[in-house]
Amino acid sequence: MEPDLPFEPYRIKVVERIHRVPRAEREQHLREAEYNIFRIPSAAIYIDLLTDSGTAAMSDRQWAAMVTGDEAYAQSRSWDEFERTIRHLTGYRHVIPCHQGRAAENLLCGVLLEERHVVPNNTHFDTTRANVEFRGAVALDCVCDEGLDPDSDAPFKGNLSVAKLEAAFARYGDRIPFVMMTITNNSGGGQPVSLANVRETAAVCHAHGVPLFLDCARFAENAWFIKRRERGQADRTIEAIAQEFFRHADGCLMSAKKDALVNIGGFIALTDDKLAERLAERLIVQEGFPTYGGLAGRDLAAVAEGLREVLDEEYLTYRIGQVARLGERLAAHGVPFLKPAGGHAIYLDARAILPHVPPRRFPGVSFTAALYLEAGIRACEIGSLMFEHVDPDSGALVSPAMELVRLAVPRRVYTHTQLDYVADACARVRDLGDRLQGLEIVWQPPALRHFLCRLRPIGGGRLIAS
Ligand SMILES: *Cc1c(COP(=O)(O)O)cnc(C)c1O
């Protein structure tokens, strides 16, 4: 085999100027945003690693597909191509277009969930958890134990624990209407799920007469990990591996804003005729006619092209390699993060970096705010602000297992040099040590509070003590 290429498998055709605003302005932005990074204007951000969702650079072919997209209301040519591409990839007969991933979740949960239902998943993504809980159902995380250990470098830390799933079936029985697996496991560190694990999980679900849905936003990255790490998979194509995990499951939900390399889009695909019919009925009310589902024809065309491009192994090797390289530079600085590096992001271990800040004081938010202040970089807390929740058994407020800061790398957007700047800045913030203070919430909405809440440094003091 030829060695992996050390650089991007593309050349740059269009560029967008970015500016680093002066520190004094960053300080003002942070104060005006009340320390919530989601509220800072994008023009004031130098390197934006808030998310890899909808932030990809599209290819010349995708832009060409957009121009030639068919905007007919019903049965457009772009819809045909969208449907054909997804059917070929997943093997599922029914394709339901949605404007993004959470719209797909909303449709599926709206049709299948009732109060007291329980939905097992390896780890629910935030919008998935919100959509489950909104129906009064319980979102049950069943990730394997290695997935909860920040220092384990097991190859498939995204795996769902089959033992935990069996225990859930034993305990909740017919309160479980379906099971989900998130691939890669976004909230669990962008860690992959093995083919063997999808196969076993599907077998357990089917033994209980319950369907398995893949939350497959990063299916191609997951397939790349399987090819590199799972025995017997090295000689298969990314497409063949993906087709196999789709075959074991009964359907999937996808936020196309990730591995379809587009800025907006999503879909549900599935085998069940009856369920597809019920989803399509709701779709017309909520999203749009079943051949566009809240998207323009050009968006459908760009998704179809993106779903083919993302299967390019050279692209995936560069993409996942770029994230790994960021991890290596952080490791060289001794900045602790979740090992091994995820497919789309590095997850810094905020609890280890700021041991003096308890979960209730949001160490991940504190680090994120300081990283913006020091270097103009935007990252995202994935910890107590995002995932603190009421335990269904005890009724107590519990923090998630880890306090993380996610550095999500947009696809085909930043260069190695820019990510070196990020790693060096993270080390500088880590060096602030116990001068960095925790925060408290001033105001919060009832759900998904991390998007909109307002905070302040504890007691209204300074974020960085002198
Ligand atoms: C992004 C994401 C979603 C939600 O998709 P949106 O397009 O942001 O609505 C759901 N699940 C996973 C795993 C995701 O990464």
Side-chain angles (χ1 to χ4, degrees), residues 180-462:
M180 292 184 83
M181 281 180 104
T182 308
I183 62 172
T184 55
N185 190 18
N186 187 1
S187 302
Q191 301 295 324
V193 170
S194 72
L195 259 185
N197 188 243
V198 177
R199 203 183 303 123
E200 277 178 64
T201 303
V204 173
C205 293
H206 297 156
H208 288 88
V210 157
L212 172 65
F213 289 99
L214 301 178
D215 182 356
C216 69
R218 297 174 186 80
F219 76 94
E221 290 169 8
N222 199 88
W224 184 93
F225 280 116
I226 288 173
K227 178 168 172 127
R228 293 291 169 114
R229 294 183 184 172
E230 191 160 350
R231 190 181 306 195
Q233 302 301 322
D235 296 327
R236 300 178 73 192
T237 62
I238 299 297
E239 183 177 48
I241 293 169
Q243 283 169 332
E244 182 175 341
F245 55 64
F246 285 122
R247 193 163 63 240
H248 292 307
D250 303 279
C252 65
L253 287 72
M254 180 166 185
S255 166
K257 298 170 73 171
K258 318 322 187 335
D259 268 355
L261 301 167
V262 292
N263 305 121
I264 195 75
F267 60 85
I268 306 176
L270 71 168
T271 53
D272 184 330
D273 300 336
K274 278 254 152 46
L275 180 56
E277 215 173 275
R278 291 172 67 199
L279 291 169
E281 281 167 20
R282 271 196 189 230
L283 183 77
I284 298 188
V285 182
Q286 282 183 16
E287 291 275 289
F289 190 72
T291 66
Y292 73 84
L295 294 167
R298 56 179 169 270
D299 299 324
L300 299 167
V303 169
E305 173 60 28
L307 285 174
R308 291 190 293 266
E309 283 179 14
V310 79
L311 300 172
D312 172 10
E313 190 179 340
E314 221 165 71
Y315 154 74
L316 288 166
T317 302
Y318 141 75
R319 158 39 176 193
I320 296 168
Q322 189 183 40
V323 177
R325 193 174 177 279
L326 172 61
E328 281 160 23
R329 195 159 173 121
L330 285 162
H333 284 304
V335 178
F337 61 92
L338 206 71
K339 308 268 170 22
H344 67 293
I346 296 288
Y347 294 69
L348 303 178
D349 185 348
R351 191 175 284 186
I353 296 171
L354 303 174
H356 60 289
V357 181
R360 292 279 151 76
R361 294 301 179 211
F362 312 117
V365 180
S366 173
F367 187 93
T368 304
L371 187 61
Y372 174 69
L373 187 59
E374 293 291 312
I377 297 164
R378 178 155 65 173
C380 184
E381 186 251 16
I382 299 200
S384 284
L385 188 67
M386 189 182 274
F387 280 124
E388 193 182 55
H389 61 281
V390 176
D391 181 75
D393 294 328
S394 65
L397 205 55
V398 288
S399 284
M402 296 183 276
E403 299 294 330
L404 304 171
V405 170
R406 187 180 71 176
L407 304 170
V409 182
R411 295 169 180 79
R412 307 191 289 208
V413 171
Y414 292 117
T415 63
H416 288 339
T417 331
Q418 287 167 318
L419 295 185
D420 287 350
Y421 169 82
V422 171
D424 299 351
C426 288
R428 283 211 315 281
V429 173
R430 184 270 324 267
D431 290 342
L432 293 172
D434 60 11
R435 290 175 57 205
L436 201 46
Q437 305 299 303
L439 296 110
E440 57 197 19
I441 292 175
V442 179
W443 174 85
Q444 62 178 16
L448 293 172
R449 66 178 180 184
H450 53 287
F451 286 131
L452 295 172
C453 73
R454 303 188 191 120
L455 306 106
R456 64 174 192 177
I458 283 178
R462 295 175 65 85

Side-chain angles (χ1 to χ4, degrees), residues 23-299:
R23 189 191 164 102
E25 277 180 43
R26 297 200 296 268
E27 193 164 0
Q28 192 178 344
H29 280 300
L30 198 56
R31 233 181 294 116
E32 284 171 7
E34 294 181 79
Y35 297 87
N36 184 340
I37 211 82
F38 282 94
R39 303 166 71 99
I40 293 184
S42 142
I45 306 238
Y46 190 44
I47 307 274
D48 199 347
L49 305 184
L50 181 67
T51 175
D52 64 322
S53 179
T55 51
M58 290 207 294
S59 69
D60 51 355
R61 283 167 176 260
Q62 283 177 295
W63 282 109
M66 294 211 47
V67 175
T68 53
D70 178 357
E71 301 303 339
Y73 189 94
Q75 311 297 342
S76 77
R77 182 171 31 76
S78 299
W79 157 252
D80 281 346
E81 207 183 322
F82 180 90
E83 184 185 43
R84 191 166 2 99
T85 305
I86 294 166
R87 277 183 174 167
H88 175 76
L89 173 67
T90 64
Y92 304 138
R93 195 138 47 95
H94 303 289
V95 178
I96 311 227
C98 301
H99 79 274
Q100 64 182 90
R102 73 198 67 182
E105 293 165 354
N106 183 15
L107 271 178
L108 190 78
C109 293
V111 167
L112 291 182
L113 286 188
E114 291 165 19
E115 245 173 74
R116 284 182 45 81
H117 272 163
V118 177
V119 180
N121 197 327
N122 42 357
T123 310
H124 286 83
F125 180 64
D126 60 350
T127 60
T128 324
R129 173 172 284 278
N131 267 299
V132 169
E133 291 176 349
F134 182 72
R135 266 95 200 164
V138 175
L140 184 69
D141 289 345
C142 297
V143 75
C144 62
D145 288 340
E146 306 92 271
L148 297 171
D149 173 3
D151 297 319
S152 156
D153 60 3
F156 291 104
K157 289 172 72 173
N159 279 355
L160 183 140
S161 160
V162 174
K164 290 179 194 174
L165 180 62
E166 292 276 24
F169 273 115
R171 176 150 183 216
Y172 302 111
D174 59 8
R175 286 172 60 190
I176 298 177
F178 62 90
V179 175
M180 292 184 83
M181 281 180 104
T182 308
I183 62 172
T184 55
N185 190 18
N186 187 1
S187 302
Q191 301 295 324
V193 170
S194 72
L195 259 185
N197 188 243
V198 177
R199 203 183 303 123
E200 277 178 64
T201 303
V204 173
C205 293
H206 297 156
H208 288 88
V210 157
L212 172 65
F213 289 99
L214 301 178
D215 182 356
C216 69
R218 297 174 186 80
F219 76 94
E221 290 169 8
N222 199 88
W224 184 93
F225 280 116
I226 288 173
K227 178 168 172 127
R228 293 291 169 114
R229 294 183 184 172
E230 191 160 350
R231 190 181 306 195
Q233 302 301 322
D235 296 327
R236 300 178 73 192
T237 62
I238 299 297
E239 183 177 48
I241 293 169
Q243 283 169 332
E244 182 175 341
F245 55 64
F246 285 122
R247 193 163 63 240
H248 292 307
D250 303 279
C252 65
L253 287 72
M254 180 166 185
S255 166
K257 298 170 73 171
K258 318 322 187 335
D259 268 355
L261 301 167
V262 292
N263 305 121
I264 195 75
F267 60 85
I268 306 176
L270 71 168
T271 53
D272 184 330
D273 300 336
K274 278 254 152 46
L275 180 56
E277 215 173 275
R278 291 172 67 199
L279 291 169
E281 281 167 20
R282 271 196 189 230
L283 183 77
I284 298 188
V285 182
Q286 282 183 16
E287 291 275 289
F289 190 72
T291 66
Y292 73 84
L295 294 167
R298 56 179 169 270
D299 299 324

